[in-house]
Amino acid sequence: MSWFRPLAASAGRCAGSLGGQCLAPSRALRASAARPHSQVAEDIVKLLQAKQETHEVKKNFVLKTPKGTRDYGPKQMAIRENVLSTIISCFKRHGAEAIDTPVFELKDTLTGKYGEDSKLIYDLKDQGGELLSLRYDLTVPFARYLAMNKITNIKRYHIAKVYRRDNPAMTRGRYREFYQCDFDIAGQFDPMIPDAECLKIVHEVLSGLKLRNFLIKVNDRRILNGVFAVCGVPDSLFHSTCSTVDKLNKVTWEEVKSEMVGEKGLSPEAVERIGEYIRLHDGLGLIEQLLQDPKLSQNKLAREGLEDMKLLFEYLTLFGIADKISFDLSLARGLDYYTGAIYEAVLLQPQNTPGEEPVSVGSVAGGGRYDGLVGMFDNKGRKVPCVGVSIGVERLFSIMEQEVEYSERIRTTETQVLVATPQKNFLDVRLKLISDLWDSGIKAEMLYKKNPKLLSQLQYCEDTGIPLVAIIGEQELKDGVVKLRVVATREEVDVPREKLVEEIKRRLET
Amino acid sequence: MSWFRPLAASAGRCAGSLGGQCLAPSRALRASAARPHSQVAEDIVKLLQAKQETHEVKKNFVLKTPKGTRDYGPKQMAIRENVLSTIISCFKRHGAEAIDTPVFELKDTLTGKYGEDSKLIYDLKDQGGELLSLRYDLTVPFARYLAMNKITNIKRYHIAKVYRRDNPAMTRGRYREFYQCDFDIAGQFDPMIPDAECLKIVHEVLSGLKLRNFLIKVNDRRILNGVFAVCGVPDSLFHSTCSTVDKLNKVTWEEVKSEMVGEKGLSPEAVERIGEYIRLHDGLGLIEQLLQDPKLSQNKLAREGLEDMKLLFEYLTLFGIADKISFDLSLARGLDYYTGAIYEAVLLQPQNTPGEEPVSVGSVAGGGRYDGLVGMFDNKGRKVPCVGVSIGVERLFSIMEQEVEYSERIRTTETQVLVATPQKNFLDVRLKLISDLWDSGIKAEMLYKKNPKLLSQLQYCEDTGIPLVAIIGEQELKDGVVKLRVVATREEVDVPREKLVEEIKRRLET
């Protein structure tokens, strides 16, 4: 992605900062969401039949993308490419291989992996043959891939779209079709080393995108289960209690409490005790404190989780990132398949008053350990321990789009030179010249007109940010030269035809 | 993509060539297709319930990807990235912007655009809300995008998967989920300039992938319609006659003939006359000949098409690629939306006997002009002329996979250095060192073991092609150095810790 021509009017309060108020939708997004498609679309149906032999007239035809989805235009794509390339370089820096899986899976493959969220899965219509569903995440397809190919050891990334029939909140970057960028490590290894690397990756990605005001919350399913156990929650309700706690980032503690008592049937006392634990968050100190906790330290699972958490913090300190990590007992992550460490990165609103608690304005990455998932697909139940992280790129795209909106104009092509002419009847000469440039690897365009005006050719460069113009007219043709014009300075110089490629490359190096 | 360690045994007859016999599935593909998933999967269902509260037992659970789809493993991904990056550079060289659209569209958006092929569209299940279908190509979504955003002028590329419930022939690279790489030019321009650029792009992409033995067939819908008209086909049957002619690349002329007479109800005489025309293929000479054809030259549409075809060949000659282009009256391309020039690139089997006609072994790109499609979505029927090309990358992936299979081993990661130790209890030191390397942009890995053996660390480099090892033990720690080992030569040198990054970069530059 490259930038050009900063706009004078762009120095808004959000330029260069990522304050909470900037997480509102960008102007571009809002404008596009407000466009009245339905109004213009009422009559379209009448025109749909032209020359189509079998087209059936529909009364309610509307010109739009499906609910919760959007197109990416050239500007959004340039931003997306920039974000994804930062993420991919990070994944590659950590030695990850890439894989890809189909957008749909056998319905059975997804069944029983997502708890209450299963209702959000998109199914395909039964058109004869297999029953299929669109993938809900990249983790279950990954586990299926490992089991199917009997792979017990891999470090891979996977960047692809996933699908959830959720209530879209597109202004906040929540869509029904959205990208996931997953990095996972599968294999039997010494404790917490791969887990620590996943957190290092989140840190590198967010720092690489210049998002410095973030916090990574960590917890462990074993600790959470230990908490539930010592608070008197029956084993059979661990999963669903976990799902309820997970709602804390969306609803208040009062609502969570009433769901636990009302719907899940927990005793009010148990819920109060849970509430005391999950209010705790801190670093190494809290881990030590809980290891001394008379009830929790007696619970085997919780103790294991706490010991591992301590190890994790050691490694994170060696990585120099412990200051961005918070051990937070309220972090639950509702998906069924997590078995150990879990984590989530949130962007923080800058504190208005020093000393005030920073406020989270949205999750941008999350993940954890899932040691049982692959075994669910293996015919002998062989387990492949896995840990991974998923970067929430849609939110990152939204943030970057808005940064661009407020700061600079973005180029959507990489064209280096426009082949132009001041003369009529020079199409042949332009075609020959541009062909030579393409064949030499130069990124070149020309106007698709037989006799374009020189002014429109130069204007096109201004509009699209093309830095150079190769002008060829009668005089240049006679002299065996091309006039190379620098758009920014209007400087012009005659370059011998055979030196043109070299000269263009030289000028674009600097 | 990078390569390492050519295998001695790899010099098979296909290495470096692309003969027809090489288009058979690669060994890897065949092996994977033959893996007996269903045998190992019968018992899996029993294990699926573990800890899942609501999982329903299915008797026929099978561990596989849906029919007609496949996973891409790390090796396939490396190849895919290589092919796609060649294509993307070409698109960018021609000044194209990128866009993306959702994987599904409103069902109505796709209705009436694909003629007989509409039955191959995947529908989503009606789960309440809008009726959706998976996209069948990238052209209709592009037209919808243009109409919806009132864009009348754009040069864009789009690389994404599309879906067709076709009979898969996976060994020949035909899948139900497959990539399309589309380049299109929308806008009102002088005739045949953008059309010629599309053909130039096909030529550049195939040459860029070192596939020199190819031919691009071109025709024009207007010429084809003119032929149908002068042969006595009624107007109303043009579309379906076109679909039937399109089958010529799959079935014999006899079969096409009998479908035209039997199913479409054309007279045997008309069909015979059509047969005479569509047997013709040549270059500029044939165009001149047909412009003199007493019947065809009287048909307005055909004459227009022939004049434009002449212009196209002029431009292709300026681009220096006319020798790879054949004007071929049998080329029909069945999709409803084409209105002008159409084209298709095929790979050729090398001629065994000089002078023999080269045999096509498969289509690798196709496209054409569709001036009416956007108007079908516009409420006032405003037309946006478009022309484009789609690169058939799945077939290209197959060819490249097989090239690799027969020639060299491929690296699936880009890791530059492994951080290793010969000592026990050096995990902390390794973690600190690798963290520094990552932070300096070095691609580094380490084994996730507390105390790995030096030999296994070195072996890991051999297995995965990592070129350098940064070894740190007690002595190195004391001396403030790291021992840098070149895997290929086993050369070792002590590098001061603060110079390590620089030294790694220096060594990998060459």
Side-chain angles (χ1 to χ4, degrees):
Chain A
M1 189 167 62
S2 59
W3 312 85
F4 75 107
R5 287 204 302 181
L7 296 175
S10 70
R13 57 186 175 145
C14 291
S17 95
L18 271 169
Q21 66 275 38
C22 299
L23 292 171
S26 71
R27 266 178 290 166
L29 270 180
R30 269 182 275 127
S32 128
R35 194 173 293 137
H37 301 309
S38 51
Q39 294 167 24
V40 302
E42 231 100 55
D43 284 84
I44 201 163
V45 70
K46 292 162 200 157
L47 292 134
L48 267 166
Q49 270 195 304
K51 288 208 161 188
Q52 300 304 313
E53 291 155 79
T54 58
H55 182 54
E56 191 190 321
V57 180
K58 307 266 161 126
K59 275 280 142 51
N60 296 313
F61 186 87
V62 178
L63 194 58
K64 66 186 281 291
T65 62
K67 184 177 178 189
T69 68
R70 63 161 172 172
D71 295 319
Y72 291 84
K75 194 170 162 182
Q76 286 85 39
M77 283 300 281
I79 292 165
R80 187 170 113 176
E81 270 181 48
N82 188 40
V83 172
L84 291 183
S85 82
T86 302
I87 294 172
I88 292 171
S89 339
C90 174
F91 292 167
K92 288 191 171 173
R93 196 159 57 237
H94 287 258
E97 303 178 289
I99 74 158
D100 194 19
T101 63
V103 82
F104 41 60
E105 294 278 345
L106 298 185
K107 188 174 165 56
D108 285 351
T109 300
L110 306 190
T111 303
K113 312 299 187 302
Y114 301 108
E116 291 182 10
D117 289 343
S118 297
K119 61 180 184 297
L120 303 181
I121 293 173
Y122 277 97
D123 292 329
L124 269 74
K125 188 169 156 185
D126 182 358
Q127 293 172 294
E130 300 160 333
L131 290 182
L132 307 174
S133 301
L134 297 187
R135 63 184 161 210
Y136 181 86
D137 65 6
L138 303 177
T139 310
V140 168
F142 175 53
R144 192 266 307 145
Y145 171 80
L146 295 182
M148 183 171 138
N149 297 289
K150 305 210 183 311
I151 296 166
T152 55
N153 199 323
I154 190 173
K155 175 157 56 174
R156 81 88 179 81
Y157 71 91
H158 188 184
I159 296 182
K161 289 174 174 177
V162 302
Y163 299 87
R164 300 184 184 180
R165 293 179 56 256
D166 214 337
N167 266 332
M170 295 161 66
T171 51
R172 283 184 287 139
R174 197 164 82 218
Y175 295 88
R176 288 182 158 199
E177 174 188 62
F178 59 97
Y179 263 92
Q180 282 199 334
C181 295
D182 281 22
F183 171 96
D184 293 79
I185 301 171
Q188 186 70 58
F189 302 115
D190 281 324
M192 307 319 278
I193 310 177
D195 312 59
E197 185 170 5
C198 289
L199 295 176
K200 174 80 170 104
I201 279 175
V202 174
H203 193 282
E204 283 181 27
V205 165
L206 297 180
S207 308
L209 293 170
K210 314 268 184 291
L211 301 169
R212 296 211 173 74
N213 211 6
F214 65 86
L215 184 74
I216 308 176
K217 301 176 183 177
V218 298
N219 196 3
D220 194 297
R221 269 292 174 88
R222 292 165 297 175
I223 301 175
L224 215 44
N225 283 354
V227 165
F228 297 155
V230 305
C231 293
V233 177
D235 284 24
S236 62
L237 288 182
F238 279 7
H239 265 299
S240 69
T241 307
C242 201
S243 295
T244 308
V245 171
D246 190 43
K247 293 182 184 161
L248 259 184
N249 53 12
K250 290 177 202 153
V251 303
T252 65
W253 167 241
E254 291 307 316
E255 287 169 276
V256 166
K257 218 159 67 174
S258 94
E259 180 174 323
M260 284 186 180
V261 178
E263 289 177 39
K264 315 281 168 170
L266 299 187
S267 74
E269 298 73 34
V271 173
E272 278 308 325
R273 283 194 293 269
I274 292 173
E276 275 164 35
Y277 278 109
I278 67 174
R279 222 160 286 163
L280 302 171
H281 55 96
D282 190 14
L284 212 47
L286 176 58
I287 302 173
E288 299 288 1
Q289 178 193 324
L290 292 177
L291 277 168
Q292 308 303 322
D293 182 288
K295 282 180 292 178
L296 208 54
S297 62
Q298 296 310 306
N299 181 284
K300 188 171 168 289
L301 266 184
R303 216 171 47 240
E304 256 181 53
L306 287 164
E307 294 290 358
D308 276 351
M309 191 59 68
K310 205 171 143 184
L311 206 53
L312 180 66
F313 267 85
E314 255 179 67
Y315 298 159
L316 298 175
T317 305
L318 288 164
F319 285 162
I321 60 169
D323 60 316
K324 291 282 198 190
I325 318 282
S326 163
F327 172 40
D328 187 328
L329 280 170
S330 75
L331 180 71
R333 296 190 66 75
L335 297 182
D336 274 14
Y337 49 64
Y338 289 117
T339 54
I342 47 179
Y343 30 82
E344 188 164 288
V346 294
L347 296 187
L348 300 177
Q349 198 162 32
Q351 290 110 299
N352 293 322
T353 320
E356 223 175 80
E357 286 246 321
V359 178
S360 155
V361 287
S363 161
V364 288
R369 177 162 284 284
Y370 49 102
D371 288 348
L373 189 57
V374 178
M376 290 175 67
F377 290 108
D378 187 273
N379 61 337
K380 292 190 178 134
R382 277 170 297 216
K383 288 194 174 178
V384 178
C386 293
V387 65
V389 66
S390 182
I391 311 288
V393 282
E394 297 295 337
R395 181 148 241 152
L396 299 177
F397 295 155
S398 291
I399 293 166
M400 296 299 156
E401 275 176 23
Q402 174 209 340
E403 286 267 284
V404 168
E405 186 76 13
Y406 281 96
S407 59
E408 290 172 288
R409 201 155 154 194
I410 188 173
R411 277 199 72 182
T412 56
T413 70
E414 297 176 7
T415 309
Q416 299 165 320
V417 58
L418 185 86
V419 173
T421 185
Q423 239 94 35
K424 285 208 168 182
N425 300 317
F426 258 62
L427 176 60
D428 287 10
V429 176
R430 280 190 295 145
L431 286 171
K432 183 81 188 65
L433 176 58
I434 199 168
S435 181
D436 289 350
L437 293 179
W438 286 330
D439 293 343
S440 308
I442 302 290
K443 295 170 187 154
E445 286 185 69
M446 55 174 267
L447 299 197
Y448 299 124
K449 290 188 84 140
K450 266 174 130 161
N451 298 311
K453 287 181 190 142
L454 185 59
L455 205 64
S456 12
Q457 296 173 81
L458 297 179
Q459 187 58 45
Y460 183 77
C461 295
E462 296 275 354
D463 292 346
T464 60
I466 300 175
L468 297 173
V469 197
I471 301 172
I472 191 158
E474 257 174 48
Q475 191 60 48
E476 288 81 14
L477 196 61
K478 209 196 298 169
D479 299 347
V481 299
V482 171
K483 200 179 285 304
L484 198 61
R485 179 186 168 109
V486 180
V487 176
T489 61
R490 301 182 180 184
E491 173 205 349
E492 291 186 348
V493 56
D494 282 353
V495 180
R497 175 84 185 238
E498 69 278 9
K499 300 253 181 192
L500 181 62
V501 168
E502 194 186 317
E503 182 62 19
I504 291 172
K505 285 186 180 164
R506 196 186 62 77
R507 283 179 178 264
L508 294 174
E509 258 172 19
T510 52
Chain B
M1 189 166 65
S2 59
W3 312 85
F4 75 106
R5 287 205 303 181
L7 297 175
S10 70
R13 57 185 175 144
C14 292
S17 96
L18 271 168
Q21 66 275 37
C22 299
L23 292 172
S26 71
R27 267 179 290 167
L29 271 182
R30 268 181 277 128
S32 128
R35 195 173 293 136
H37 302 306
S38 50
Q39 294 168 24
V40 302
E42 232 101 56
D43 284 83
I44 202 165
V45 70
K46 292 162 203 157
L47 292 133
L48 266 167
Q49 271 195 303
K51 289 209 162 189
Q52 300 305 314
E53 291 156 80
T54 58
H55 181 56
E56 191 191 320
V57 179
K58 306 268 161 125
K59 276 281 143 50
N60 296 314
F61 187 86
V62 178
L63 195 57
K64 67 186 281 292
T65 62
K67 183 177 178 190
T69 68
R70 64 161 172 172
D71 295 319
Y72 291 84
K75 193 171 162 181
Q76 285 86 38
M77 283 299 280
I79 292 165
R80 188 169 111 174
E81 270 181 47
N82 188 40
V83 172
L84 291 184
S85 81
T86 302
I87 294 172
I88 292 172
S89 341
C90 174
F91 291 167
K92 287 190 172 173
R93 196 159 55 237
H94 287 258
E97 304 178 290
I99 73 158
D100 194 18
T101 64
V103 81
F104 42 60
E105 294 279 345
L106 298 185
K107 189 174 164 54
D108 284 351
T109 300
L110 305 189
T111 303
K113 311 297 186 302
Y114 301 108
E116 290 182 12
D117 289 343
S118 296
K119 62 180 183 296
L120 303 180
I121 294 174
Y122 277 97
D123 292 329
L124 268 75
K125 189 170 157 184
D126 183 0
Q127 294 172 294
E130 300 160 332
L131 290 181
L132 307 174
S133 301
L134 297 186
R135 62 183 163 211
Y136 181 86
D137 65 7
L138 302 177
T139 311
V140 169
F142 175 53
R144 191 265 307 145
Y145 171 80
L146 295 183
M148 183 171 139
N149 297 290
K150 305 211 184 308
I151 296 167
T152 54
N153 198 323
I154 191 173
K155 175 157 57 175
R156 81 89 180 82
Y157 71 91
H158 188 184
I159 297 182
K161 288 173 174 176
V162 302
Y163 299 87
R164 301 184 183 179
R165 293 179 55 255
D166 214 337
N167 268 332
M170 295 161 65
T171 51
R172 282 182 288 138
R174 197 163 83 217
Y175 294 89
R176 289 182 156 198
E177 174 189 63
F178 59 98
Y179 262 92
Q180 282 198 336
C181 295
D182 281 22
F183 172 95
D184 292 79
I185 300 171
Q188 185 70 58
F189 301 116
D190 281 324
M192 307 318 279
I193 310 177
D195 312 59
E197 185 171 5
C198 289
L199 295 175
K200 174 79 170 103
I201 279 175
V202 174
H203 192 281
E204 282 181 29
V205 164
L206 297 179
S207 309
L209 292 170
K210 314 267 183 291
L211 300 169
R212 295 211 175 75
N213 211 5
F214 65 87
L215 185 73
I216 308 175
K217 301 177 185 176
V218 298
N219 196 2
D220 194 297
R221 270 290 175 88
R222 292 166 296 174
I223 301 175
L224 215 44
N225 283 355
V227 166
F228 296 156
V230 304
C231 293
V233 177
D235 283 23
S236 62
L237 289 182
F238 280 7
H239 266 300
S240 68
T241 307
C242 201
S243 296
T244 308
V245 171
D246 189 43
K247 292 180 184 161
L248 260 184
N249 54 11
K250 291 177 202 151
V251 303
T252 65
W253 168 242
E254 290 307 316
E255 288 169 276
V256 167
K257 217 159 68 175
S258 94
E259 180 174 324
M260 283 187 182
V261 177
E263 289 176 39
K264 313 281 169 171
L266 299 187
S267 73
E269 298 73 34
V271 174
E272 277 308 327
R273 283 193 292 267
I274 293 172
E276 276 163 34
Y277 278 109
I278 66 175
R279 223 160 285 162
L280 302 171
H281 55 94
D282 190 14
L284 213 47
L286 177 58
I287 302 173
E288 299 289 3
Q289 178 194 324
L290 291 178
L291 276 169
Q292 307 303 323
D293 182 287
K295 279 179 294 177
L296 208 54
S297 61
Q298 295 311 306
N299 182 284
K300 187 170 168 289
L301 266 184
R303 217 171 44 239
E304 257 181 53
L306 287 165
E307 294 290 357
D308 276 350
M309 191 60 68
K310 205 172 144 186
L311 207 53
L312 180 67
F313 267 84
E314 254 180 69
Y315 298 158
L316 298 176
T317 305
L318 288 165
F319 286 161
I321 60 170
D323 60 315
K324 290 282 197 189
I325 319 282
S326 164
F327 172 41
D328 187 329
L329 280 170
S330 76
L331 180 70
R333 295 189 66 74
L335 297 183
D336 273 13
Y337 51 62
Y338 289 116
T339 53
I342 47 179
Y343 30 83
E344 188 163 286
V346 294
L347 294 187
L348 301 177
Q349 200 162 30
Q351 291 111 298
N352 293 322
T353 320
E356 223 177 81
E357 286 247 320
V359 179
S360 154
V361 288
S363 159
V364 288
R369 176 161 285 283
Y370 48 103
D371 287 349
L373 189 57
V374 178
M376 289 175 68
F377 290 108
D378 187 90
N379 62 337
K380 294 194 175 129
R382 276 169 297 217
K383 289 193 174 178
V384 178
C386 293
V387 64
V389 65
S390 184
I391 311 288
V393 281
E394 296 296 338
R395 179 148 244 154
L396 299 177
F397 294 155
S398 292
I399 293 165
M400 296 299 156
E401 276 176 23
Q402 173 210 342
E403 286 266 285
V404 168
E405 186 77 11
Y406 281 97
S407 58
E408 290 171 287
R409 201 155 154 195
I410 187 173
R411 277 199 74 183
T412 55
T413 70
E414 297 176 6
T415 308
Q416 298 165 321
V417 58
L418 185 85
V419 172
T421 185
Q423 239 94 34
K424 285 208 167 183
N425 300 319
F426 257 62
L427 176 60
D428 286 10
V429 176
R430 279 190 295 145
L431 286 172
K432 182 82 189 65
L433 177 57
I434 199 169
S435 182
D436 290 349
L437 293 179
W438 286 331
D439 293 343
S440 308
I442 302 290
K443 295 170 188 155
E445 286 184 71
M446 54 175 268
L447 298 197
Y448 299 124
K449 291 187 84 139
K450 266 174 131 161
N451 297 312
K453 288 183 189 141
L454 186 60
L455 206 63
S456 12
Q457 296 173 84
L458 297 179
Q459 188 58 47
Y460 184 77
C461 295
E462 296 275 354
D463 292 346
T464 60
I466 299 175
L468 297 173
V469 197
I471 303 171
I472 190 157
E474 257 174 47
Q475 192 58 48
E476 288 80 15
L477 195 61
K478 210 198 297 167
D479 299 347
V481 299
V482 171
K483 199 179 286 302
L484 198 61
R485 179 187 168 107
V486 180
V487 175
T489 61
R490 299 181 182 187
E491 173 205 349
E492 290 186 348
V493 56
D494 280 355
V495 180
R497 174 85 184 236
E498 68 278 9
K499 300 252 181 194
L500 181 62
V501 167
E502 193 187 316
E503 181 62 20
I504 291 172
K505 286 185 179 164
R506 197 188 61 77
R507 282 177 179 265
L508 293 174
E509 258 172 20
T510 52

